[in-house]
Amino acid sequence: MQWTSILAIYVLFWVMSAFLLLPFGIKTHDEMGIEKTAGQADSAPGNFRPGRVMVRATVLAAVLTGIYVANYAYGWITPDDINIFGNPPDPADYRHPDPT
């Protein structure tokens, strides 16, 4: 696998991880006992830390990319292993009706 492919996979895992981790550890102003700004939504976060989300997403994406690349190299899980529909029927098994 080329390093550019690994980098692209890492970026995809990073974005997915960042969005997955966004809601964890977030509290509203009411939960924290902080005064809200006028016009602020009740659900607005009071303790959003983007740096912490980025660090967590970086670590999770690195682990997931490592597992993906190892699976690619060693072939632990292949597409045949996750085929839940079975093999498609062979077209030679079908007979066409006689047109006469």
Side-chain angles (χ1 to χ4, degrees), residues 20-75:
L20 180 76
L21 296 171
L22 271 175
F24 292 101
I26 298 296
K27 294 182 180 180
T28 63
H29 285 75
D30 292 333
E31 292 172 334
M32 295 178 63
I34 302 173
E35 187 175 324
K36 291 188 278 189
T37 306
Q40 176 179 337
D42 292 335
S43 60
N47 66 337
F48 179 62
R49 296 184 182 143
R52 180 175 284 184
V53 173
M54 289 176 13
V55 168
R56 289 177 179 174
T58 300
V59 171
L60 182 59
V63 169
L64 292 175
T65 302
I67 292 170
Y68 183 88
V69 171
N71 183 58
Y72 180 83
Y74 296 111

Side-chain angles (χ1 to χ4, degrees), residues 68 71-72 74-88:
Y68 183 88
N71 183 58
Y72 180 83
Y74 296 111
W76 297 323
I77 300 173
T78 63
D80 293 332
D81 294 333
I82 56 175
N83 183 6
I84 61 172
F85 297 111
N87 293 328

